[in-house]
Amino acid sequence: MSQWADLPKELLEMISKRLDLRVEVLRFRAVCSSWRCSVSPPSFDQEIPPLFLKLPPPFRTLDPIFADAVLMQTTICRMEFLCNYSNSSCSLAKSSLVKVGESKHGKLQPFHPLSNQETKDSFMSLNLLDLKFVQLSKACLLKWPGGISVYGINKVVVFPLSAGCIDNCELGILAIYHEGKLGYWRYGDKEWTLLDDRNFEYDDIIVYEGQFYVVDRWGTVSWIDSSLKVIQYSPPLYGCGGQKNLVESCGDLYVVDRYLDGERRTWKDYEDVMDTNDNPLYEDVMDTNDNPLRFWRLMNKARPMTVDFRVYKLDEEWGTWVDIKSLGDRIFILGVDCSFSVSCRDLSGGKGNCIYFYDSLYVGERMSGGAIHVFRFEDHSIDNLAVIPDYSEIFWPANIGSSA
């Protein structure tokens, strides 16, 4: 420790300026007294104004309360609890997955990595000297100020126009919306830019090796260059599943093919409930909350549930898809706003060769009628996490989000 404590102050200042998360700043200050003196603690007294975005149609409401959306950015971490023993320098006692966000006053707020459910537990009760945070992935979600997710947005990633994208005017967003359209919006734009006017069947988007990749419903993977051009990267998979996800694992890109027990919504369903100006169609009959009945019915239409998975990896040399029969010690996590993988050896109670995912019957004002499930490759079984509590130990806290 003495060698680390003797690092030049100028070097410590340079390191501290590269810390993006407040949890990283707190952890940095917890190393030793010299590190603590080199950087000021983050303030938790002054309210941080949220990043309001005036989204153009089709994401707007007539209610002025929901005039602006809020970009919620979180980080998924492996939180390691470290314990000192007399016979060794430092031994890993426990490691769990947690999603870290910030409250309006900048305090660290934990969320469940899959369901996005806010937990009542606080990091402030933990000794940061006993913790290590390893960043696994980042996630973005668009919400209205009241905490309701923006309906119609399926996936969002921040698309910076420059390496130092910190101001609103430099912010760009890539989004899959209306169950398949791929669009781009820059802060201040009056409308969305449709990146592909021939394909409205995109399923997922991911940042892989610093590049943006998308996959459509047929399993064709494409990448998006700096000029927002969509370039095909792989041949079609033609998997029989109803929904595709992209997951990075051990440096490779995988396509997860999800089989459903019914038909999904498509972009055509949204076309039927929008007018030419992308506003919800109002009918003569309104519901009890004065919402357009046709649009409200779409929002409350039950979604199909997951019944099976298959996983594929591209053989780049031969240009063919390889059907993966086992994930080994890897765990795939398919969250609401991001997907990632982790080794079960790095987690407490972790069991490999499985996929954690969230199934929700309904979307709209809240995720409802759903729960976290676990798919096990060895027998293709699917269980609600609530009935296999041992599998919930990989999350912190373990009892959050296991049931509806």
Side-chain angles (χ1 to χ4, degrees), residues 45-65:
D45 298 323
Q46 185 177 1
E47 184 171 338
I48 300 174
L51 180 56
F52 287 116
L53 306 176
K54 293 184 180 296
L55 296 179
F59 308 107
R60 67 181 182 187
T61 68
L62 300 178
D63 190 335
I65 297 178

Side-chain angles (χ1 to χ4, degrees), residues 34-77:
S34 62
W35 287 39
R36 187 158 47 252
C37 295
S38 67
V39 59
S40 301
S43 172
F44 298 115
D45 298 323
Q46 185 177 1
E47 184 171 338
I48 300 174
L51 180 56
F52 287 116
L53 306 176
K54 293 184 180 296
L55 296 179
F59 308 107
R60 67 181 182 187
T61 68
L62 300 178
D63 190 335
I65 297 178
F66 301 106
D68 299 327
V70 177
L71 181 65
M72 174 184 170
Q73 301 185 72
T74 54
T75 302
I76 295 89
C77 299

Side-chain angles (χ1 to χ4, degrees), residues 6 26 41 68 84 112 156 166 172 192-194 236 282 316 358 369 386 402:
D6 294 335
L26 293 174
D68 299 327
N84 292 319
H112 194 281
V156 174
I166 55 176
W192 287 81
T193 299
L194 194 62
Y282 281 80
E316 297 191 37
Y358 192 91
S402 59

Side-chain angles (χ1 to χ4, degrees), residues 256-292:
V256 179
D257 199 8
R258 186 187 303 221
Y259 288 71
L260 307 171
D261 64 359
E263 293 295 323
R264 287 177 53 192
R265 295 186 185 92
T266 69
W267 61 274
K268 294 181 180 179
D269 294 318
Y270 288 87
E271 296 272 312
D272 293 338
V273 299
M274 296 288 184
D275 63 19
T276 56
N277 295 317
D278 285 323
N279 291 311
L281 281 172
Y282 281 80
E283 300 176 322
D284 294 335
V285 180
M286 308 292 285
D287 68 10
T288 55
N289 296 318
D290 289 329
N291 291 302

